[in-house]
């Protein structure tokens, strides 16, 4: 793994964190005051900032830092997350998302947007935070985190007397410190006297006097003296006490700052005196050193332990009575534990023997699959690999079908084992296929979440107050469907907010909540996913739509249309009811584009509207674009596949049930109702004359607008799961045909586009006639 | 024998960086995603040194450190805190919880290895 790959991971993680951030903020917006929600929001920003810092993405770090500071105020209850505050935060989340995208894909984010929000965020943080917390963000947020190495010495030079753990300021002369500052001019390497007195806490936090002394020895030449006077008799000794202290004389170019930086981690838990000698007085100083220079044997550190002091042995044993310890020391194990200077050494080895294999899986970086982290363990897989697998499974299905077919063709009477085997193979293939499809299934949540941002933005732009309610966001559907859903949904949401909902004043006048509601829901229904988008706005103004359609020559003023038909006019190309073109939805794309993209996904869209109460768009989409269950039929010698989801029932028409209607229309009476009969062969131009309905089979299908049609085909061959092969990708779009597939015998069959055929039967021409017969 | 480092961090990005950096520096690396998991794997992992983040779900770094220090076997293990906060308050809390030292993010491989070497023999 290299940095680029990690960066890739970082951006993936950003996506997740941003989603987390947004959903958390939205929860808070709904009044959720759970501290864990606030924490999760804070962590999301914090995490982005952390990763961004590592990659030097300064813009991102700077903004995340300001955002984080404000969130921290909320987290520590210094700032109440009221609606105004959350509005700023949600906008900030959007900017953070944009900055992340800009860092990933290049490009920039309008600096004015960023700076406006930075100011708002800072105002929020400053307004509520008591002044003494000098952590208020600077106007130009120089990211603290992006600053280079910490300056420990600077911190050390101004020890805080207010340490809660009883830290007492080191007696320490600032005069000397001043002298040290003048030092660089001198040629002499400064000589420092260091007194280092560890307290027991130093050891209990995992620091080691010996290691600190080792580090100190690395910055200069030193002599060291260990004062052991405080060491009590053995029977009074606390094994975890700190009885020794060291006096060190070190000659180092790094001066006091360098010395203190060695003790950076330990400075609170020891008394540390550092005194720099005046260079001029150096000679006499040396004589005054109160200690005997003792050569410090560093090599001893590398192996073990003889010269370690017993008080560093704060390892494995409890605070036991010393006498008992001495007694126990006769036992071998206790000796080990007493003598081990590195307290973990013994247990480490013991455990390593006991459980040699245990750390291995974790060490392989597999912590994610260890399963202990609550959520289901997951892996991330390149989408290409999944698609390749899906393609292969598709081939497998075809191959299995061909095999079955050839066995049937050559069937010999005794070959039951082959048949059983084939059946099992078929079942397995089906299961493999389902499992592979499940890999691609994803919850619609990310798309839904994106919509909340769209709602905010549009509502802001048009001055409306809108609340987005989402439902069923964990409903799963093929990733391709999700990806392609974003655009039409965005457009519809824009329309709903811009055209659907009334202005707040008007809503109030109508006795509605001034805040409009847009609801987005998803659910599974009979093998498809149904997505509903509804608003509680004015509903479709049918009079206006009708007038517009007349103005645009879509209909004549005499045309008699049902309410449903008028509503559906908005899906006509180039239709827009807004009197004036707004920034928001007047972009030249209308609902016709939405309809086409939904249809391209094998879906249907439907509108129902109630004046004064709002409109509901219902989209029904296939769960996957890779396979479908189809009914294989014959029409004029051609083999076609009709998607099973469209078929309500099949029936053999009797002559008495067929009624002529007008010149060429025919109706079939099914139970108590009449249903238009559509000859598929005729519609697709497979034949010029209508076939006799009693010779064929009628497939009762449900069309997009809910109306039923009876499709006439010559014969039904059977039901089969077929792998969808796009015609567009391999040939070109053919009206009336959704896609193609390969059948068990290796032949290509076309998949019927039921909605298009039904639409054509209504008198709308399919267009591109005649191309069909040649296609198969 | 390779020194073993247990890292505890909820960010996949940082986990990967730690893994690459530590492995390149010749450490054996064991990773956990939050404080709870960190404590769960502690016994089996049996690390020589721990590097932990502060802000984590379920159990944060402070709680994790306290948990480690309560374990007799690990009460003296060096624990380094990875944190973006360079301010004294956070350091102080980490220190009170029992942290040995800290590494200030942005993540810098050199700083990390230096700090680990400072606190391990």
């Amino acid at each position: 793994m290299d940095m680029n790959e990690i960066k890739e991971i970082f951006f993936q993680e950003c996506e997740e964190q941003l989603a987390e951030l947004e959903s958390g903020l939205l929860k808070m917006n709904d009044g959720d005051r759970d501290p864990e929600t606030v924490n999760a929001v804070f962590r999301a920003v914090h995490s982005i900032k952390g990763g961004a810092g590592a990659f030097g993405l300064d813009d991102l770090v700077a903004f995340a830092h300001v955002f984080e500071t404000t969130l921290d105020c909320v987290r520590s209850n210094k700032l109440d997350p009221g609606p105004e505050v959350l509005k700023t935060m949600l906008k900030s989340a959007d900017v953070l998302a944009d900055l992340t995208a800009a860092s990933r894909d290049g490009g920039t984010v309008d600096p004015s947007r960023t700076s406006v929000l930075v100011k708002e965020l800072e105002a929020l943080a400053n307004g509520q935070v008591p002044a003494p917390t000098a952590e208020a963000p600077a106007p130009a947020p120089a990211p603290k985190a992006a600053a280079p190495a910490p300056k420990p010495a600077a911190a050390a030079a101004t020890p805080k007397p207010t340490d809660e753990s009883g830290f007492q300021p080191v007696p320490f002369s600032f005069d000397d410190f001043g002298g040290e500052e003048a030092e660089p001019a001198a040629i002499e390497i400064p000589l420092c006297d260091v007194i280092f007195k560890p307290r027991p806490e130093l050891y209990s936090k995992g620091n080691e006097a010996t290691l600190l002394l080792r580090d100190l020895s690395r910055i200069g030449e030193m002599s060291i003296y260990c004062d052991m006077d405080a060491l009590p008799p053995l029977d009074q000794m606390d094994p975890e006490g700190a009885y020794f202290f060291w006096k060190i004389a070190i000659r180092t170019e790094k001066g006091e700052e360098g010395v203190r930086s060695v003790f950076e981690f330990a400075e609170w838990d020891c008394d540390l005196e550092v005194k720099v000698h005046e260079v001029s007085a150096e000679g006499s100083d040396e004589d005054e050193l109160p200690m005997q220079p003792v050569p410090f044997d560093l090599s001893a550190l590398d192996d073990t332990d003889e010269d370690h002091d017993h008080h560093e042995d704060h390892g494995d044993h409890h605070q036991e009575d010393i006498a008992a310890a001495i007694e126990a020391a006769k036992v071998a194990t206790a000796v080990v534990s007493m003598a081990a200077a590195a307290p973990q050494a013994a247990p480490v080895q013991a455990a390593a023997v006991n459980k040699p294999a245990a750390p291995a899986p974790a060490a392989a970086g597999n912590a994610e699959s260890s399963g202990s982290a609550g959520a289901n363990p997951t892996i991330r897989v390149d989408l290409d690999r999944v698609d390749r697998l899906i393609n292969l499974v598709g081939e497998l299905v075809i191959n299995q079908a061909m095999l079955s077919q050839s066995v049937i063709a050559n069937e010999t009477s005794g070959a039951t084992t082959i048949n059983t085997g084939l059946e099992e193979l078929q079942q397995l293939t089906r299961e493999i296929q389902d499992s592979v499809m499940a890999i691609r299934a994803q919850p619609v949540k990310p798309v839904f979440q994106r919509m909340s941002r769209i709602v905010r933005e549009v509502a802001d732009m048009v001055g409306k107050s809108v609340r987005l309610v989402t439902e069923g966001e964990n409903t799963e559907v093929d990733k391709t469907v999700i990806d392609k859903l974003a655009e039409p949904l965005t457009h519809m949401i824009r329309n709903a907010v811009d055209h659907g909902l009334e202005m707040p004043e008007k809503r109030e006048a109508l006795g509605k909540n001034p805040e409009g509601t847009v609801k987005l829901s998803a659910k599974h229904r009979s093998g498809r996913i149904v997505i509903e988008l509804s608003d509680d706005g004015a509903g479709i103004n049918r009079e206006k739509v009708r007038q517009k359609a007349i103005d645009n020559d879509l209909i004549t003023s005499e045309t008699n249309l049902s309410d449903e038909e008028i509503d559906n006019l908005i899906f006509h190309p180039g239709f827009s009811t807004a009197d004036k073109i707004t920034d928001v939805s007047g972009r030249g794309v209308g609902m016709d584009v939405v309809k086409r993209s939904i249809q391209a996904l094998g879906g249907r869209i439907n509108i129902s509207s109630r004046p004064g109460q709002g409109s509901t768009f219902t989209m029904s989409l296939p769960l996957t674009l890779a396979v479908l269950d189809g009914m294989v039929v014959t029409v004029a010698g051609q083999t076609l596949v009709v998607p099973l989801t469209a078929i309500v029932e099949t029936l053999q028409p009797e002559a008495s049930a067929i009624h002529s209607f007008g010149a060429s229309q025919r109706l079939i009476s099914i139970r108590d109702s009449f249903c238009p009969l559509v000859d598929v062969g005729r519609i697709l131009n497979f034949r010029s004359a209508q076939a006799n309905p009693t010779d064929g089979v009628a497939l009762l299908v449900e069309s997009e607008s809910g109306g039923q049609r009876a499709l006439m085909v010559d014969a039904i061959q059977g039901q089969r799961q077929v792998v969808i092969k796009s015609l567009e990708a391999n040939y070109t779009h053919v009206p009336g045909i959704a896609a193609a597939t390969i059948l068990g015998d290796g032949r290509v069959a076309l998949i019927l586009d039921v909605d298009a055929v039904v639409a054509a039967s209504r008198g709308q021409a399919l267009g591109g006639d005649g191309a069909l017969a040649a296609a198969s | 024998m390779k020194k073993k480092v247990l890292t505890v961090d909820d960010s996949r990005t940082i986990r990967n960086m730690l893994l690459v950096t530590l492995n390149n520096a010749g450490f054996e690396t064991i990773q956990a995603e939050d404080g709870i998991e960190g404590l769960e794997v502690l016994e089996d992992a049996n690390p020589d040194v721990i590097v932990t983040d502060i802000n984590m779900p379920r159990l944060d770094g402070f709680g994790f450190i306290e948990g480690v220090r309560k374990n007799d076997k690990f009460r003296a293990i060096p624990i380094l805190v990875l944190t973006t906060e360079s301010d004294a308050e956070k350091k102080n809390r980490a220190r009170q919880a029992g942290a040995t030292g800290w590494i200030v993010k942005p993540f810098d491989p050199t700083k990390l290895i230096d700090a680990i070497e400072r606190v391990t023999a």
Side-chain angles (χ1 to χ4, degrees), chain A residues 147 179 362 604 612:
Chain A
R604 300 189 287 261

Side-chain angles (χ1 to χ4, degrees), chain B residues 4-106:
Chain B
K4 261 193 260 178
V5 186
L6 169 64
T7 74
V8 188
D9 198 312
D10 60 326
S11 157
R12 202 157 57 238
T13 310
I14 302 294
R15 277 204 302 279
N16 276 293
M17 288 190 152
L18 287 169
L19 186 69
V20 170
T21 308
L22 292 172
N23 285 355
N24 286 347
F27 291 99
E28 188 179 334
T29 313
I30 300 128
Q31 301 199 298
E33 288 179 28
D34 59 34
I36 301 267
E37 196 191 353
L39 291 177
E40 280 166 1
V41 301
L42 184 65
E43 288 281 342
D44 280 350
N46 208 345
D48 300 304
V49 58
I50 297 174
V51 177
T52 179
D53 191 21
I54 288 297
N55 278 294
M56 292 182 291
R58 303 211 292 163
L59 180 64
D60 66 12
F62 303 127
F64 170 68
I65 295 169
E66 278 161 13
V68 174
R69 291 285 180 241
K70 273 186 204 135
N71 183 328
D72 276 341
K73 194 161 136 196
F74 297 103
R75 50 205 266 270
I77 189 174
I79 303 178
L80 292 170
V81 174
L82 254 185
T83 176
T84 38
E85 347 285 339
S86 48
D87 62 290
E89 189 200 341
K90 287 275 162 49
K91 272 187 200 168
N92 204 25
R93 268 190 73 189
R95 206 179 48 72
Q96 276 173 4
T100 309
W102 53 86
I103 306 150
V104 179
K105 292 195 232 175

Side-chain angles (χ1 to χ4, degrees), chain A residues 346 411 482 590:
Chain A
E411 193 173 11
I482 293 180

Side-chain angles (χ1 to χ4, degrees), chain A residues 381-672:
Chain A
V381 181
D382 202 346
L383 198 54
D384 285 347
R385 294 194 191 181
V386 177
D387 285 345
R388 212 175 102 91
L389 185 59
I390 285 175
N391 267 332
L392 283 173
V393 172
E395 298 298 321
L396 179 67
V397 171
I398 291 169
N399 211 276
Q400 176 261 325
M402 288 167 81
L403 190 60
S404 306
Q405 204 114 12
S406 64
V407 168
I408 291 163
N410 301 312
E411 193 173 11
T412 47
S413 50
T416 48
T417 48
I418 295 184
N419 284 329
T420 322
L422 265 178
E423 265 167 40
E424 272 166 21
L425 178 65
Q426 191 171 355
Q427 204 170 344
L428 278 176
T429 316
R430 180 101 196 188
E431 270 175 40
I432 291 174
Q433 196 165 29
D434 288 348
S435 312
V436 170
M437 291 305 157
I439 297 179
R440 277 197 63 112
Q442 301 268 310
V444 291
K445 197 171 179 180
V447 184
F448 277 24
Q449 269 179 345
R450 249 191 282 173
M451 293 309 133
S452 74
R453 172 172 183 178
I454 309 282
V455 168
R456 276 201 300 282
E457 282 179 352
V458 178
D460 241 25
M461 230 184 280
V462 299
K464 289 177 186 173
S465 163
V466 186
R467 184 184 148 80
L468 178 75
V469 179
T470 55
E471 234 172 53
E473 23 184 41
N474 289 323
T475 311
E476 290 192 338
V477 65
D478 192 291
K479 187 164 181 348
T480 321
V481 177
I482 293 180
D483 291 346
K484 291 186 176 164
L485 208 54
E487 217 181 295
L489 263 188
T490 305
H491 193 76
M492 290 164 68
I493 292 254
R494 282 203 172 114
N495 268 328
V497 176
D498 192 17
H499 301 319
L501 297 173
E502 312 91 333
M503 295 302 286
E505 311 82 57
K506 196 177 169 193
R507 290 181 64 91
E508 218 157 4
L510 289 166
K512 290 181 173 180
N513 184 344
E515 187 185 51
T517 303
V518 173
K519 191 173 154 191
L520 189 57
S521 74
K523 59 186 169 227
H524 281 147
R525 202 159 64 193
S526 57
R528 291 171 80 85
I529 182 169
V530 175
I531 295 176
E532 258 182 26
L533 174 70
S534 58
D535 64 65
D536 65 348
I540 284 184
N541 184 339
R542 301 210 169 97
E543 217 24 67
K544 202 162 148 193
V545 168
R546 196 183 149 84
Q547 194 50 50
K548 193 95 177 179
I550 295 170
D551 294 349
N552 291 3
D553 289 334
L554 298 174
I555 55 171
T556 67
S557 51
E558 284 86 45
T559 320
N560 194 7
L561 293 174
S562 67
D563 284 353
E564 187 198 329
E565 282 168 314
I566 294 177
D567 291 348
N568 278 293
L569 280 175
I570 65 161
F571 292 116
H572 250 312
F575 193 92
S576 172
T577 51
D579 288 329
K580 52 178 194 288
I581 286 179
T582 63
D583 258 3
V584 181
S585 43
R587 294 179 190 225
V589 280
M591 290 303 290
D592 61 313
V593 178
V594 171
K595 186 176 182 176
R596 248 182 287 141
S597 17
I598 298 292
Q599 281 177 334
L601 287 169
R604 300 189 287 261
I605 183 165
N606 211 338
I607 177 172
S608 72
S609 175
R610 280 193 290 173
Q613 293 182 37
S615 317
T616 302
F617 289 90
T618 309
M619 285 155 282
S620 146
L621 294 152
L623 292 179
T624 167
L625 301 179
V627 285
L628 68 82
D629 279 304
M631 185 169 283
V632 185
V633 299
T634 315
V635 177
Q638 304 286 335
T639 303
L640 293 177
V641 178
V642 184
L644 214 53
T645 48
I647 300 174
V648 181
E649 63 174 295
T650 62
L651 44 111
Q652 202 101 41
E654 293 179 16
S656 60
I658 310 289
H659 307 274
S660 284
F661 176 71
S664 58
Q665 302 281 325
R666 274 173 302 177
L667 298 176
I668 179 167
S669 73
I670 300 165
R671 289 178 279 276
D672 286 336

